[in-house]
């Protein structure tokens, strides 16, 4: 099946779609020996695709990984600022040539559960709002939010002109005047938890995602990864709510 080149390069782990467009515009991408142009399509099964003269491989095997992202690492295939990316935490044979890419985002200052896959169908199931996969976080905030504040957070807070979806929020413990919260969301707006916490007067001090759709980190160390088991992938693909 023919697909847009920037999508194929992103799936192969060469670059993000935006950066792939830059590569194509610079004339650094060739299809069957001819310089590609923006908007071109190719079939990874039959066409020869090269970047800077190096052929790009496309893995037939579908891979889905759970990574425990450390702080300071960028959720991207390529970072123009030269910061370390999540692909650099994988073995070279997985980071290049398999097409795995991060699904969704954790900002650079956050840590915890992140999925990577080369399965486009699964990517859609994980990112489309209609599936509403749950994401659970442990969040250390400054100060001790009262029950009224927590209830406000649970019911929804106005962001960008529209309220957030209802969330599960509970206080796990207090630490020297600060509070450790457990928060479960079924949406993922940009820096949502940090923005809501700031708006409610309790800025985030530390944020760690502990589970996605009920698939938790367990004892997976920071910076480590594991391949998902088939039942876990089925759960994600079906859009099961957990």
């Amino acid at each position: 099946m023919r697909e847009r080149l920037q999508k194929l390069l992103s799936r192969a782990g060469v670059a993000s779609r935006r950066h792939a467009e830059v590569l194509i515009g610079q004339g650094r991408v060739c299809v069957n020996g001819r310089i590609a142009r923006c908007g071109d399509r190719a079939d990874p099964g039959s066409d020869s695709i090269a970047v800077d003269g190096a052929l790009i491989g496309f893995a037939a095997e579908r891979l889905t990984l759970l990574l425990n992202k450390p702080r300071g690492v960028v959720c991207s295939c390529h970072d123009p600022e030269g910061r370390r990316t999540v692909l650099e935490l994988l073995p070279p044979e997985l980071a290049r040539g398999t097409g795995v890419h991060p699904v969704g985002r954790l900002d650079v200052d956050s840590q915890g559960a992140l999925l990577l896959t080369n399965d486009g169908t699964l990517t859609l199931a994980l990112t489309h709002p209609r599936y509403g996969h749950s994401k659970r976080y442990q969040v250390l905030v400054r100060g001790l939010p009262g029950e009224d504040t927590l209830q406000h957070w649970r019911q929804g807070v106005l962001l960008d002109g529209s309220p957030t979806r209802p969330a599960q929020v509970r206080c796990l413990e207090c630490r020297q005047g600060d509070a450790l919260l457990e928060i479960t969301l079924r949406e993922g707006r940009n820096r949502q938890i940090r923005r809501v916490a700031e708006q409610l007067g309790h800025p985030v001090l530390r944020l760690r995602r502990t589970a996605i759709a009920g698939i938790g980190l367990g004892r997976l160390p920071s910076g480590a990864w594991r391949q998902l088991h088939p039942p876990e992938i089925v759960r994600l693909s079906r859009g099961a709510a957990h």
Side-chain angles (χ1 to χ4, degrees), residues 156-165 187 189 192 195-196 199:
V157 176
L158 198 65
L159 282 184
D160 302 322
S162 62
T164 58
R165 289 185 183 180
E187 63 179 334
R189 302 195 199 183
Q192 179 173 334
R195 293 165 64 199
V196 169
Q199 186 171 318

Side-chain angles (χ1 to χ4, degrees), residues 210-226:
T210 58
I212 300 173
I215 299 172
L217 287 172
R219 297 184 178 180
L220 192 66
S222 179
W225 60 275
R226 70 171 178 86

Side-chain angles (χ1 to χ4, degrees), residues 75-91:
C75 287
S76 176
C77 297
H78 171 81
D79 183 59
E81 299 179 28
R83 295 171 295 181
R84 194 180 190 194
T85 71
V86 291
L87 289 188
E88 295 176 57
L89 300 174
L90 304 179

Side-chain angles (χ1 to χ4, degrees), residues 1-5 7-8 11 31-32 39-47:
M1 183 177 65
R2 298 178 68 80
E3 300 178 68
R4 287 188 176 273
L5 274 177
K7 180 179 179 180
L8 292 174
R11 197 174 77 203
V31 178
N32 300 327
D40 282 358
R41 294 174 177 265
D43 183 345
S46 58
D47 291 323

Side-chain angles (χ1 to χ4, degrees), residues 23-227:
L23 294 177
I24 296 169
Q26 292 173 339
R28 297 166 59 184
V29 181
C30 290
V31 178
N32 300 327
R34 301 182 63 177
I35 295 177
R37 295 180 296 178
C38 289
D40 282 358
R41 294 174 177 265
D43 183 345
S46 58
D47 291 323
S48 171
I49 304 171
V51 177
D52 294 333
L55 288 175
I56 305 302
F58 295 87
E61 180 186 3
R62 293 183 179 181
L63 292 172
T64 302
L65 313 174
L66 176 67
L67 172 73
N68 188 351
K69 185 189 95 67
R71 291 182 63 184
V73 177
V74 181
C75 287
S76 176
C77 297
H78 171 81
D79 183 59
E81 299 179 28
R83 295 171 295 181
R84 194 180 190 194
T85 71
V86 291
L87 289 188
E88 295 176 57
L89 300 174
L90 304 179
E93 62 271 19
L94 289 181
R96 299 295 178 188
T98 63
V100 294
H101 54 270
V103 181
R105 289 186 177 274
L106 274 175
D107 64 67
V108 68
D109 294 321
S110 299
Q111 61 193 88
L114 178 74
L115 293 174
L116 300 97
T117 187
N118 60 4
D119 186 337
T121 301
L122 183 58
T123 297
L124 175 62
L126 289 167
T127 56
H128 199 286
R130 74 171 177 263
Y131 290 99
H133 284 294
S134 66
K135 298 180 181 68
R136 188 171 69 240
Y137 303 81
Q138 285 189 359
V139 184
L140 184 66
V141 299
R142 180 174 295 140
L144 302 175
E147 183 58 30
D148 288 347
T149 299
L150 296 180
Q151 187 61 25
H152 186 184
W153 199 332
R154 294 178 188 120
Q155 292 175 344
V157 176
L158 198 65
L159 282 184
D160 302 322
S162 62
T164 58
R165 289 185 183 180
Q168 297 176 28
V169 185
R170 67 188 182 105
C171 184
L172 297 177
E173 61 179 283
C174 300
R175 297 180 176 181
Q176 298 179 338
D178 298 324
L180 180 65
L181 308 179
E182 182 181 82
I183 301 171
T184 302
L185 303 180
R186 294 190 180 275
E187 63 179 334
R189 302 195 199 183
N190 183 40
R191 297 174 67 87
Q192 179 173 334
I193 291 177
R194 293 182 183 276
R195 293 165 64 199
V196 169
E198 183 78 28
Q199 186 171 318
L200 295 177
H202 297 278
V204 169
L205 301 176
R206 189 174 70 246
L207 188 153
R208 179 173 181 260
R209 187 157 65 197
T210 58
I212 300 173
I215 299 172
L217 287 172
R219 297 184 178 180
L220 192 66
S222 179
W225 60 275
R226 70 171 178 86
Q227 194 162 343

